[in-house]
Structures are given as C-alpha cells and as structure tokens.
Amino acid sequence: MKRLAILLAAPLVALMLTAAEPPAAPDRPLADATQEARAQDLFKDVRCVVCQHEAIADSPAGVAGDMRRLIREEIAAGASDQAVRDDLVRRFGDYVLFTPPVRAGTWLLWFGPCALLLLAAAVLALRARRRPVEAVPLTPEEERQLDEVLRNEKLRRDPDATSPHDGR
C-alpha cells in the first residue's frame, strides 16, 4: 500500500518541482507619452528583487512585471519620480535602487571602497618608511673566502658561456 501511494505521488511531486514562475502579464504602456518616458527611465533605475542584477526594464520575472505596473499606476495617479522611488524603498528597502540614497545606513556602501583604498595606501606608506635591516658585516675570515672566490671566478671560464666570436 505504501509503495502504491509513493508511485501515485511521484508524478505530482515531479510536476511541482518543475513548475516555474508564471510569466509576467504583458506590459500596457501609459497613454501619455511623457508619462511613459518617465516610467521607462524609472524602470532602468530600479533593481528586480528576484534577479537582483537586472533592472526591471530588462527582467522577465513576474515580480518585475508587477513592479513596472505599480510604477505606471503611481505615475498615472500623478506621483513624482521621487515619490515613486520613496514608495519602492519603503516596500523593498534601499537595495531596490541601483543608486541608493546617501544616508547613515548606506555610508559603508558609498564610502567603503574609498576608505579601503586609503587604508591600503596608509599601510603601504608605513611599510615604505620602515628602515631596511642593516646587513651584518663580514668577519675577516669571510672576507678572505670571498676574495678567494672572486679571484678564482675571474680565472675560471664558464663552460656554458659562449662568445659571440665562436662562430657557432
């Protein structure tokens, strides 16, 4: 009995796993061309909350279609672009805008990269200011050995070296 229930439930589970988000409703542009142009400009500045790397203007996700419809409704109702942005931020957070506002909560986002560059420059400057480690002078015995090696180097020819006059 248990096996029969599993066999009957398997196709249903497979269908549920392969189900995708329904496609977005087709966009209906605004009748007023200037309002539609404003909406299109806003679409490019608003991030799709599903895709996260795409503007809602380019996203095929159903949520992006809903966001486009919401923006068009607010513009048709007479809302300013800033009022539409503020409403989207209220609903979805600062992340919904590709260029979030500068405020205390977004300082790290805006100024963090510059702060990291300044910190790296400071570390490099401090390291460059360090005095190099002075070498310990050679003992008289080490000086004698070095002189002997250098004298022998001048007399011994390198077997791997070739002269440009060898004609090879």
Side-chain angles (χ1 to χ4, degrees), residues 29-65:
L30 293 168
D32 184 2
T34 57
Q35 287 182 337
E36 181 62 25
R38 283 179 48 211
Q40 292 294 329
D41 287 341
L42 281 170
F43 294 166
K44 294 173 188 167
D45 293 338
V46 177
R47 183 187 316 265
C48 175
V49 293
V50 173
C51 305
Q52 297 182 0
H53 64 281
E54 281 185 294
I56 61 170
D58 305 322
S59 176
V63 172

Side-chain angles (χ1 to χ4, degrees), residues 94-106:
D94 287 330
Y95 184 74
V96 76
L97 300 177
F98 277 116
T99 53
V102 178
R103 61 175 142 210
T106 59

Side-chain angles (χ1 to χ4, degrees), residues 128-148:
R129 288 185 53 174
R130 277 189 180 172
R131 296 184 131 194
V133 178
E134 293 186 25
V136 178
L138 297 176
T139 63
E141 175 62 26
E142 291 170 332
E143 289 275 350
R144 187 189 62 70
Q145 288 175 352
L146 179 62
D147 286 339
E148 185 178 318

